[in-house]
Amino acid sequence: MSADPKKKAGEDVALVWGKSDDGETLGVLRKRGEAIEPALVKKAREGEPIHGELVRLTPREEPNLYDVEVLHDARRSEARDSEAAGPAQVASSAYRKGWDRLFKRPRTKGALN
């Protein structure tokens, strides 16, 4: 097997080292480039939120070793959403002026307001 330096630098591999008693969660060591990190992997289920990344694991020839393909990164989506400067502006100044003209109480002499 020839070592491709480009592939090695961007390599994303997971080693499964254990699973939960119910078999629903896998404990893995994940190597992305030079970084190694522990992670938990669960099967994606329809209707359940994704916390972290949605990945596809493709088995390698070596036992318990998988190539990792990131299908969706929910953390990036959340970060992109939180970068907005604030809530969407739903009322323009023309809208506010019209609202005040229609619904603002006229000031009367002797009123407490």
Side-chain angles (χ1 to χ4, degrees):
M1 184 193 311
S2 64
D4 183 3
K6 280 187 178 179
K7 186 169 183 176
K8 192 76 169 168
E11 186 175 47
D12 196 349
V13 181
L15 172 68
V16 176
W17 57 267
K19 66 176 158 179
S20 63
D21 292 336
D22 62 4
E24 292 290 316
T25 305
L26 299 176
V28 301
L29 284 177
R30 185 170 174 187
K31 181 179 182 292
R32 285 193 256 197
E34 296 299 317
I36 297 176
E37 56 197 38
L40 295 175
V41 179
K42 290 184 174 187
K43 186 174 184 177
R45 300 204 189 283
E46 188 173 340
E48 290 184 4
I50 297 172
H51 304 286
E53 296 176 323
L54 178 64
V55 297
R56 175 181 292 138
L57 300 178
T58 307
R60 288 187 165 194
E61 290 180 14
E62 299 87 356
N64 298 331
L65 200 58
Y66 297 84
D67 287 316
V68 179
E69 177 187 355
V70 178
L71 302 175
H72 177 74
D73 189 349
R75 295 173 299 185
R76 284 192 178 171
S77 296
E78 290 171 2
R80 193 172 43 246
D81 292 344
S82 67
E83 289 174 4
Q89 182 173 349
V90 294
S92 65
S93 57
Y95 174 86
R96 287 189 198 100
K97 286 178 187 174
W99 178 271
D100 288 345
R101 196 171 354 146
L102 290 173
F103 299 107
K104 194 172 184 181
R105 285 190 214 169
R107 289 192 171 231
T108 59
K109 196 171 188 180
L112 296 175
N113 292 349

